[in-house]
């Protein structure tokens, strides 16, 4: 479980937050004033930000949604196996649960083993002593997540996504307290994205927009092959190669890089940004964002567990992997668990994060190039911060890109999320990234640095003298090794879900799939893993291992 800390409002921990609302917060509509400058020195005209939930987009008409729905249908309609296989899956994050969900669809019996007492992996969350949730990360569901959208539909929980207005909102560091918006009109892609960029005159000048558009043209025309060919370049290197002005990087892509992979653009591979941009520019609803209406373990993971167990699968908590025991040919004989028990199955799947899997991987496997290449994939540190204030603060019902050196994105969860909704007091959730230099520091230092950064960004709203909003408590959730760090030349090192081991498969956002390190990538990897197993074994007369006749040990 990630390290956490909490503190009351006493003493030096009475750090300051945002200016409280001066208008009524009754109902679901909240207004915030933002600038729409005609020029830098001009009078600031007001721009209203209307905050409310929006209807579910029409994803079913998107080609990407239909493609992923077809894969779901293919798995579900696969020939029923003569002998349903017992598949032991290590890890109850999104990848492991998705693997199990689609395996029961394919007619098999998955048993998911999770070392912790909480579901979700990188989307795990816990309740504090007051019953308030705190999460591993600030999780946003994009319209460009077709596998995730299919999953919500298949589980009949689409109403749990709270869709926001089709905008991207950036803080303006040089204009404290102001925001700049990219508003996407309800038009087909890529017209809506182009107009959103052209209408924003606060972050980029017209010459910068034109050079940026020309730089992106090869990616739009070349599609996925071009995107994957850029894996060897960082974002900064690619921008300069394409003649895109440095200010585009400074104004837009520092924030985008930190939101996508928690690192700066001088480290991030351009493939990561181009995949996101391609989805945003090619899909009408691709850049639309939704918040889950509560904590992921309850509102997303538990419905997956219910689906799995209702169809004969199992999910077991507090049963972690200690070691793989191998057969003479290098295949898996059984799993040794941290409880002292052993598990024997027909097939085995690791849905562990890549760093944890490398620690548990048998030395014998490491000699194979397939597994040795995983050395290149290393998790990136990230810190997620929750701050509860003693009053309601000025806010926007949306994700906000902070554009600060230490903070990536943030949101007032007391406004964006039903589970945390509070008309009287705010709870800010913020992503602190890059976090490599901070992951080992005390929580108090991290909170102090966070508030100083917010004070620099919003000096009119944060007072250091304790005269405004007080912190009631906070939680700092540290993940030393989160999603794999998408630096250049990682793509050739990402493994397929099928491995050279005849009864062993992989799932996880680091495995080969088009959505890289994301919730969408994790779910897609699980679906691909289940598809591979169905293709390999559903029509086979040969059982995968001598263990096939054995009953799986019960907990």
């Amino acid at each position: 479980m990630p390290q956490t800390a909490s503190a009351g409002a006493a003493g030096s921990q009475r750090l300051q937050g945002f200016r409280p609302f001066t208008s009524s917060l009754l109902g679901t509509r909240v207004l915030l004033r933002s600038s729409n400058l005609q020029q830098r020195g001009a009078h600031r005209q007001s721009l209203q930000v209307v905050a409310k939930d929006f209807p579910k987009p029409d994803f079913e008409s998107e080609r990407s949604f239909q493609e992923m729905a077809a894969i779901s249908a293919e798995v579900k309609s696969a020939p029923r196996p003569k002998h349903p296989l017992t598949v032991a899956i290590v890890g109850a994050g999104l990848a492991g649960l998705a693997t199990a969900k689609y395996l029961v669809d394919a007619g098999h019996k998955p048993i998911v083993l999770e070392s912790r007492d909480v579901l979700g992996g990188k989307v795990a969350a816990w309740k504090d002593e007051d019953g308030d949730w705190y999460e591993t990360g600030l999780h946003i569901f994009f319209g460009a997540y077709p596998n995730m959208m299919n999953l919500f539909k298949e589980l009949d929980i689409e109403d749990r996504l709270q869709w926001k207005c089709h905008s991207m909102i950036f803080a303006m560091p040089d204009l404290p307290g102001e925001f700049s918006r990219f508003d996407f009109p309800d038009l087909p892609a890529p017209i809506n994205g182009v107009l959103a960029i052209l209408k924003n005159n606060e972050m980029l000048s017209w010459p910068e927009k034109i050079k940026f558009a020309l730089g992106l043209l090869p990616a739009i025309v070349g599609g996925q092959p071009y995107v994957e060919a850029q894996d060897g370049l960082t974002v900064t290197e690619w921008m300069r190669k394409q003649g895109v002005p440095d200010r585009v990087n400074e104004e837009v892509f520092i924030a985008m890089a930190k939101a996508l992979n928690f690192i700066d653009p001088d480290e991030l591979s351009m493939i990561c940004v181009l995949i996101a941009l391609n989805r945003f520019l090619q899909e009408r609803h691709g850049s639309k964002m939704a918040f889950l209406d509560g904590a992921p373990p309850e509102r997303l993971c538990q419905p997956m567990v219910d689906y799995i167990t209702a169809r004969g699968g199992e999910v077991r908590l507090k049963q972690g992997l200690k070691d793989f025991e191998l057969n003479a040919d290098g295949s898996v004989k059984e799993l040794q668990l941290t409880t002292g028990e052993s598990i024997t199955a027909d097939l085995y799947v690791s849905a562990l994060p890549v760093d944890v899997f490398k620690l548990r991987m048998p030395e014998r496997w490491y000699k194979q190039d397939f597994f040795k290449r995983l050395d290149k994939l290393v998790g990136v540190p990230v810190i997620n911060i929750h701050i509860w204030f003693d009053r309601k603060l000025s806010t926007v019902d949306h994700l906000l890109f902070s554009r600060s050196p230490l903070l990536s994105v943030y949101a007032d969860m007391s406004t964006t999320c039903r589970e945390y909704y509070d008309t009287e007091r705010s709870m800010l959730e913020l992503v602190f990234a890059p976090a490599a230099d901070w992951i080992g520091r005390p929580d108090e230092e991290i909170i102090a640095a966070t508030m100083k950064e917010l004070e620099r960004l919003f000096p009119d709203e944060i007072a250091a003298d304790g005269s405004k909003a007080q912190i009631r408590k906070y939680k700092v959730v540290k993940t030393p090794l989160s999603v794999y760090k998408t630096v250049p030349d990682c793509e050739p090192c990402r493994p397929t879900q099928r491995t050279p081991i005849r009864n062993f498969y992989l799932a996880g956002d680091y495995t080969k799939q088009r959505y890289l390190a994301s919730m969408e990538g994790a779910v897609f990897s699980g679906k691909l893993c289940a598809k591979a197993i169905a293709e390999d074994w559903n029509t086979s007369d040969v059982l995968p291992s001598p263990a096939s006749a054995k009953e799986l040990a019960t907990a």
Side-chain angles (χ1 to χ4, degrees):
M1 180 171 172
Q3 301 175 44
T4 63
S6 64
S12 62
Q13 293 183 4
R14 290 192 172 191
L15 302 174
Q16 303 312 309
F18 291 95
R19 180 175 57 207
F21 263 83
T22 56
S23 59
S24 171
L25 283 166
L26 297 176
T28 60
R29 295 172 67 87
V30 180
L31 300 180
L32 175 73
R33 310 296 285 185
S34 182
S35 72
N36 182 20
L37 301 184
Q38 297 301 315
Q39 55 187 359
R40 286 288 178 179
H43 174 69
R44 294 182 185 178
Q45 299 177 355
S46 63
L47 173 67
Q48 287 189 330
V49 178
V50 179
K52 65 175 184 178
D53 288 348
F54 284 72
K56 180 186 79 68
D58 179 24
F59 295 118
E60 287 80 358
S61 62
E62 293 282 2
R63 185 177 65 178
S64 60
F65 182 95
Q66 294 169 0
E67 288 175 353
M68 299 310 161
I71 296 176
S72 294
E74 181 183 350
V75 172
K76 197 164 188 176
S77 63
R80 296 300 88 178
K82 294 180 181 178
H83 307 283
L85 301 179
T86 297
V87 184
I89 302 169
V90 184
L94 290 178
L97 293 175
T99 302
K101 187 270 181 196
Y102 291 105
L103 279 175
V104 297
D105 284 347
H108 298 292
K109 182 186 177 182
I111 297 183
V112 183
L113 306 168
E114 169 58 46
S115 63
R116 301 190 292 185
D117 61 356
V118 61
L119 300 166
K122 298 186 188 77
V123 301
W126 303 265
K127 281 187 175 180
D128 68 8
E129 57 277 9
D130 300 319
D132 292 321
W133 285 100
Y134 57 100
E135 305 182 17
T136 308
L138 177 51
H139 306 295
I140 299 298
F141 297 79
F142 282 95
Y145 282 1
N147 288 285
M148 187 67 81
M149 296 305 110
N150 270 282
L151 179 63
F152 273 86
K153 185 178 182 67
E154 291 159 16
L155 296 174
D156 194 24
I157 57 171
E158 290 177 288
D159 61 344
R160 299 186 181 187
L161 289 174
Q162 293 181 251
W163 291 97
K164 308 305 177 182
C165 63
H166 197 174
S167 302
M168 289 188 172
I169 307 174
F170 292 75
M172 300 289 285
D174 296 332
L175 299 171
E178 304 292 346
F179 295 87
S180 181
R181 298 167 57 92
F182 292 87
D183 292 313
F184 291 72
D186 189 20
L187 296 170
I191 298 171
N192 60 351
V194 171
L195 288 177
I197 294 171
L198 294 180
K199 288 191 301 179
N200 183 295
N201 294 318
E202 297 158 350
M203 292 176 66
L204 300 177
S205 66
W206 275 96
E208 289 165 343
K209 292 175 187 178
I210 293 170
K211 290 180 180 178
F212 179 30
L214 291 174
L216 282 178
L217 193 59
I220 297 172
V221 174
Q224 192 69 17
Y226 175 86
V227 168
E228 293 185 4
Q230 308 313 303
D231 180 46
L233 297 175
T234 67
V235 175
T236 304
E237 290 169 343
W238 182 91
M239 302 274 280
R240 289 173 180 166
K241 177 185 174 184
Q242 296 299 113
V244 178
D246 287 345
R247 221 176 71 82
V248 176
N249 200 19
E250 295 164 2
E251 292 292 300
V252 177
F253 284 99
I254 290 177
M256 192 171 184
K258 293 201 295 184
L260 288 170
N261 199 238
F262 313 126
I263 57 177
D264 286 320
D266 56 353
E267 288 189 280
L268 183 67
S269 169
M270 191 61 194
I271 190 175
C272 189
V273 170
L274 287 178
I275 284 176
L277 287 177
N278 258 3
R279 299 276 67 80
F280 292 168
L281 291 174
Q282 293 182 14
E283 298 178 18
R284 182 172 191 156
H285 308 295
S287 53
K288 278 190 178 179
M289 300 182 218
F291 287 75
L292 191 61
D293 67 357
E298 281 193 350
R299 304 301 289 168
L300 173 56
C301 298
Q302 190 58 49
M304 297 175 77
V305 171
D306 294 342
Y307 186 100
I308 293 161
T309 56
R311 291 158 178 79
E314 297 180 41
V315 177
R316 304 178 184 177
L317 300 180
K318 296 190 286 187
Q319 293 201 17
L321 173 67
K322 181 180 179 182
D323 203 2
F324 292 96
E325 186 170 333
L326 304 183
N327 293 305
D329 65 354
S331 63
V332 181
K333 179 180 180 181
E334 63 182 18
L335 303 180
Q336 300 294 328
L337 304 183
T338 53
T339 60
E341 300 171 280
S342 62
I343 291 287
T344 304
D346 300 314
L347 296 173
Y348 302 85
V349 176
S350 170
L352 296 168
V354 63
D355 298 283
V356 180
F357 173 64
K358 287 188 291 186
L359 289 174
R360 298 287 184 267
M361 183 170 57
E363 185 176 352
R364 183 173 175 181
W365 291 358
Y366 183 71
K367 296 176 182 178
Q368 301 184 47
D369 184 61
F370 179 90
F371 293 106
K372 190 172 180 59
R373 284 179 295 173
L374 296 180
D375 283 347
K376 174 76 173 177
L377 307 180
V378 179
V380 62
V382 66
I383 299 170
N384 203 49
I385 298 169
H386 306 69
I387 304 175
W388 286 264
F389 291 94
D390 65 349
R391 66 194 75 177
K392 193 68 179 179
L393 312 171
S394 61
T395 189
V396 179
D397 186 13
H398 215 297
L399 182 75
L400 296 171
F401 293 83
S402 74
R403 299 177 68 217
S404 77
L406 294 181
L407 301 177
S408 171
V409 292
Y410 68 95
D412 186 342
M413 300 297 282
S414 70
T415 297
T416 61
C417 175
R418 288 191 200 103
E419 174 77 18
Y420 312 140
Y421 190 70
D422 189 338
T423 60
E424 303 298 325
R425 299 183 295 189
S426 286
M427 188 275 274
L428 291 184
E429 188 169 347
L430 312 101
V431 179
F432 193 105
D437 295 336
W438 289 86
I439 198 75
R441 298 196 192 184
D443 295 344
E444 293 78 9
E445 289 187 19
I446 293 169
I447 290 294
T450 298
M451 299 313 296
K452 286 180 180 178
E453 195 65 23
L454 291 175
E455 184 175 17
R456 187 184 71 82
L457 288 171
F458 308 107
D460 295 337
E461 298 183 277
I462 297 175
D465 61 3
S467 61
K468 296 194 177 152
Q470 303 291 310
I471 290 180
R472 294 191 294 121
K473 62 181 179 180
Y474 62 78
K475 288 284 185 180
V476 176
V477 182
K478 300 175 181 177
T479 306
L481 297 170
S482 183
V483 296
Y484 77 92
K485 191 175 183 178
T486 313
V487 295
D489 300 318
C490 279
E491 198 62 19
C493 302
R494 298 174 67 204
T496 57
Q497 288 75 38
R498 284 188 181 91
T499 79
I501 310 303
R502 62 183 174 85
N503 65 347
F504 179 73
Y505 294 77
L506 292 172
D509 59 14
Y510 70 94
T511 63
K512 189 69 174 178
Q513 39 74 28
R514 71 179 73 167
Y515 293 98
L516 303 183
S518 63
M519 293 187 294
E520 171 70 7
V523 169
F524 192 24
S525 76
K527 183 187 290 187
L528 291 175
C529 182
K531 180 174 180 285
I533 290 172
E535 291 172 347
D536 292 348
W537 300 106
N538 276 34
T539 58
S540 176
D541 293 325
V542 179
L543 296 177
S545 72
S548 298
K550 298 181 181 179
E551 288 293 323
L552 195 70
T554 58

